[in-house]
């Protein structure tokens, strides 16, 4: 995509589009982390209504088990959901961090790099924590896919930012001096 764009305006458009996708994904992830029980109840109903349960019983069984766990935890320890509220808030805060490179991609390229590092960090976290917490491997792979999917627009934004930097003849500021 960036190979097709050679002017600063086009590169900025590509960067904004890519970062917009990442921001939107983070916002959706954040907002949907608040009503987990309600969403899972809807998902359980949808699985039964669409007949997925018939040809994917292991998947449906896992979703049911998670739903039962959330219901039991909410009944006995409702304050535990506060942790997912903070998870939701963290997603929204991370989305805000990408406003910097959205406005000035060259100066804030470090945020894009930080996002790529976070995407890479999802892989060992999902595999290690998922295994320790007893999550099925398939579910861990779904979690890993979020990092891989987010990495694609971030890589495109990074490449476009470096091209924009070269085109404009300016360098990102070096910190730590």
């Amino acid at each position: 995509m960036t190979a097709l764009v050679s002017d600063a305006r086009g590169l900025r458009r590509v960067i904004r589009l890519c970062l917009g996708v990442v921001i939107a994904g983070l916002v959706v992830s954040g907002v949907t982390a608040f009503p987990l029980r309600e969403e899972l109840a809807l998902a359980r109903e949808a699985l039964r209504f669409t007949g997925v349960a018939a040809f994917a019983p292991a998947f449906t069984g896992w979703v049911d088990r998670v739903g039962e766990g959330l219901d039991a935890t909410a009944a006995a320890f409702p304050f535990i959901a506060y942790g997912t509220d903070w998870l939701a808030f963290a997603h929204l805060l991370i989305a805000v961090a990408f406003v910097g490179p959205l406005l000035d991609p060259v100066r804030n390229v470090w945020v894009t790099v930080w996002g790529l590092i976070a995407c890479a960090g999802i892989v060992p976290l999902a595999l290690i924590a998922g295994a320790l917490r007893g999550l099925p491997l398939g579910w861990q792979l779904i979690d890993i896919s979020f990092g891989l999917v987010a990495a694609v627009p971030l890589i495109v934004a990074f490449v476009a930012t470096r091209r924009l930097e070269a085109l404009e003849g300016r360098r990102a500021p070096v910190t730590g001096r």
Side-chain angles (χ1 to χ4, degrees):
M1 179 184 263
T2 59
L4 301 174
V5 180
S6 60
D7 65 320
R9 177 179 272 174
L11 288 169
R12 287 183 184 282
R13 221 173 314 170
V14 167
I15 293 164
R16 285 190 191 111
L17 174 67
C18 290
L19 295 177
V21 167
V22 172
I23 290 169
L26 286 163
V27 168
V28 168
S29 294
V31 169
T32 58
F34 285 112
L36 284 181
R37 286 183 59 217
E38 294 80 4
E39 289 169 342
L40 203 52
L42 279 171
R44 291 164 84 182
E45 288 299 317
L47 288 173
R48 278 163 191 52
F49 179 75
T50 59
V52 171
F55 69 86
F59 176 75
T60 305
W62 175 252
V63 172
D64 283 338
R65 180 179 159 114
V66 172
E68 291 164 7
L70 281 174
D71 291 341
T73 301
F77 310 103
F79 54 85
I80 296 294
Y82 190 55
T84 56
D85 295 339
W86 279 103
L87 170 72
F89 178 70
H91 277 81
L92 297 173
L93 220 67
I94 293 166
V96 170
F98 285 98
V99 171
L102 200 64
L103 298 174
D104 188 346
V106 174
R107 180 179 178 140
N108 296 297
V109 68
W110 67 272
V111 177
T112 305
V113 172
W114 170 78
L116 285 166
I117 292 167
C119 287
I122 289 172
V123 175
L125 175 72
L127 292 174
I128 294 167
L132 289 173
R133 305 287 186 216
L135 271 71
L137 179 61
W139 207 262
Q140 294 171 50
L141 295 175
I142 290 170
D143 289 340
I144 289 169
S145 74
F146 286 106
L148 297 177
V149 168
V152 172
L154 287 174
I155 290 168
V156 173
F158 177 77
V159 170
T161 299
R162 288 303 190 204
R163 286 196 167 167
L164 179 64
E165 180 181 62
L167 193 64
E168 293 180 344
R170 63 182 180 122
R171 297 280 307 155
V174 178
T175 58
R177 290 185 185 182

